[in-house]
Amino acid sequence: MTEPFEVRIDVADTLPAAITGDQPFHIAAWIFLPDTIPAVPTVVTLFNGGTYDRRYFHFDVPGRQDYSLAEYLRVRGHIVILPDHLGIGASDRAQDQMLATREIAALAHHTAVERIHAMLRDGTLVGGFASLPAFVKVGGGHSMGGFMTITQQAAYRTYDLCLILGYTADGVHLTIDGKLIRAHPGDLDPAQPDYAKRDRSKLRATFHWDDVPEDVIAADDALLVEVPYVLSTQSIMTGIVKADAAKIDVPIYINLGERDVSPDPHAEPGFYRSCRDITLHILPRSGHCQNFAETRLEMYDRIDRWVGDQARNL
């Protein structure tokens, strides 16, 4: 795989001092640049889900291939941005992480992505890469990344196209003992610690289809990171993004696994009341983490073709 290069974007000027402590505050991101830019350039930003960092979309399994959606898209001519959420991975943590709500994170993410877009336009992102005066801005994410994409797009209209992967605007459900159970956690509890590491063993039936190889699951488990309590809890609250989803008016691609977090996948398009162009793709033999499914290349290919077709018709 081609290794990306790293950028760190200071977004402190847009955030409250209670978050930044009046210090520089960075969102970290990997950038993947294609060898050839198509006639209609596309820039695809993808945010990972909870318990992961940006490595989710650029995943290496020893002895196996084709687990990097970022590389798959890069090879096919897309510029790809993989940021870490505020407070996760290489991005900075808030002075008081309990104040880092979805609205604060959406502002930080929007600012970082917009500043990367500006560097692409003026040719200052990296030496030797020519300026791109115009390109189609695509944004999305998996699970908590989809939750944040909905929040961000409704507030700032960052993107021309949206990808909502493994998320539901209804409210997250988990597969427990063969039954789909609503995961609504109740109100935020300020007594909880800022960060926690989740026990993924209880999520295996939700995350993975039955045919996912054990070495892939082991490599996946090695990606486990601490998640901020507020963002991860908000992301599974019932109906928290319903009003935001209804505001999004750009074309949307929704991908859900055959066994995923939505109680009714075919009802998902109905939450996006302002959107006139919605594609629903249910990935066969896939759990919630489509990126590890044996059928993942079907999703990779569909995203590549959907983005390309939409970009050419905007």
Side-chain angles (χ1 to χ4, degrees):
M1 294 190 293
T2 300
E3 289 307 306
F5 69 92
E6 171 125 356
V7 296
R8 289 179 58 78
I9 307 298
D10 187 1
V11 298
D13 60 307
T14 67
L15 299 178
I19 297 293
T20 67
D22 286 324
Q23 299 296 316
F25 194 91
H26 299 91
I27 297 297
W30 280 337
I31 313 290
F32 299 75
L33 297 177
D35 297 327
T36 303
I37 299 292
V40 181
T42 52
V43 180
V44 181
T45 301
L46 295 168
F47 281 90
N48 53 272
T51 78
Y52 294 95
D53 57 22
R54 56 189 162 172
R55 293 174 295 171
Y56 176 83
F57 286 113
H58 188 54
F59 184 53
D60 181 41
V61 182
R64 296 184 181 272
Q65 295 181 325
D66 298 325
Y67 283 89
S68 172
L69 175 57
E71 177 67 6
Y72 188 95
L73 295 175
R74 185 201 73 81
V75 168
R76 287 156 181 80
H78 306 276
I79 297 168
V80 181
I81 304 169
L82 299 187
D84 273 329
H85 294 267
L86 184 156
I88 295 177
S91 290
D92 290 340
R93 293 188 176 191
Q95 292 290 310
D96 183 349
Q97 195 64 37
M98 284 293 183
L99 298 178
T101 62
R102 68 188 184 108
E103 292 84 4
I104 291 291
L107 175 56
H109 298 169
H110 166 75
T111 302
V113 171
E114 283 283 283
R115 289 177 179 176
I116 294 171
H117 287 167
M119 288 187 284
L120 282 167
R121 279 191 290 269
D122 62 24
T124 59
L125 183 63
V126 62
F129 193 77
S131 62
L132 284 177
F135 46 82
V136 176
K137 298 175 290 185
V138 187
H142 173 254
S143 195
M144 191 174 80
F147 157 76
M148 284 307 309
T149 298
I150 295 169
T151 303
Q152 178 182 332
Q153 182 69 12
Y156 303 107
R157 303 192 85 252
T158 315
Y159 307 115
D160 303 311
L161 307 171
C162 285
L163 309 168
I164 308 300
L165 314 176
Y167 192 67
T168 169
D170 178 297
V172 168
H173 289 60
L174 303 175
T175 299
I176 308 293
D177 296 329
K179 297 179 180 179
L180 203 59
I181 306 297
R182 188 174 291 276
H184 181 62
D187 295 335
L188 291 173
D189 178 2
Q192 292 296 315
D194 282 357
Y195 282 85
K197 274 195 174 181
R198 307 301 185 197
D199 179 2
R200 283 223 198 112
S201 65
K202 299 176 181 178
L203 299 172
R204 183 162 176 170
T206 300
F207 276 24
H208 301 295
W209 198 254
D210 304 340
D211 61 355
V212 176
E214 288 296 328
D215 62 312
V216 174
I217 294 175
D220 169 35
D221 286 342
L223 296 182
L224 179 66
V225 301
E226 290 184 322
V227 292
Y229 167 72
V230 171
L231 278 189
S232 61
T233 301
Q234 287 187 316
S235 73
I236 61 173
M237 287 180 172
T238 295
I240 189 169
V241 295
K242 274 188 179 180
D244 290 337
K247 296 176 183 177
I248 297 176
D249 61 358
V250 302
I252 300 169
Y253 167 86
I254 301 170
N255 184 286
L256 288 159
E258 186 174 339
R259 182 170 67 220
D260 211 323
V261 297
S262 173
D264 185 358
H266 288 94
E268 293 296 328
F271 291 107
Y272 300 91
R273 308 298 295 178
S274 299
C275 180
R276 298 182 179 182
D277 189 342
I278 304 175
T279 296
L280 172 64
H281 178 199
I282 299 174
L283 188 65
R285 303 192 316 281
S286 173
H288 175 54
C289 294
Q290 303 100 317
N291 203 53
F292 308 132
E294 294 291 273
T295 54
R296 64 194 175 280
L297 292 183
E298 178 182 316
M299 181 185 73
Y300 289 10
D301 177 66
R302 185 69 65 85
I303 290 173
D304 168 47
R305 290 189 291 111
W306 184 86
V307 168
D309 290 344
Q310 291 284 347
R312 286 186 289 270
N313 289 316
L314 283 179

